[in-house]
Amino acid sequence: MNLDQLEGKFKENKGKLKQKYAEHISDDDLQYSEGKFEEMLGKLQAKTGKTKEQLEEEIDNL
């Protein structure tokens, strides 16, 4: 699974959560979660010194 697929899965699950908990979760809540995911990837890049492509390869091999 590459990074784009991982992001796609996140968005798919975000949509499912939105449907299931529409009255409890706002778009802001979901955008915050998505931002945290992107922040995590940025931190991985900063801490490991690896490129996005290298991290994608590692994710593919998980």
Side-chain angles (χ1 to χ4, degrees):
M1 180 180 296
N2 67 29
L3 191 55
D4 291 332
Q5 290 171 316
L6 190 59
E7 287 178 28
K9 274 294 201 190
F10 178 82
K11 289 180 180 180
E12 181 181 334
N13 287 328
K14 182 174 85 168
K16 288 178 183 180
L17 282 171
K18 196 173 182 180
Q19 290 172 8
K20 186 171 183 174
Y21 297 107
E23 60 210 38
H24 302 290
I25 295 177
S26 70
D27 285 338
D28 288 342
D29 294 328
L30 295 170
Q31 285 179 341
Y32 176 81
S33 296
E34 189 172 352
K36 293 304 266 182
F37 174 76
E38 292 172 8
E39 180 183 4
M40 179 196 63
L41 290 176
K43 284 184 179 185
L44 276 173
Q45 284 182 283
K47 290 186 177 207
T48 64
K50 295 181 179 182
T51 65
K52 180 179 176 182
E53 291 77 21
Q54 289 170 319
L55 290 171
E56 286 177 353
E57 185 177 332
E58 284 188 24
I59 291 169
D60 283 342
N61 293 324
L62 289 177

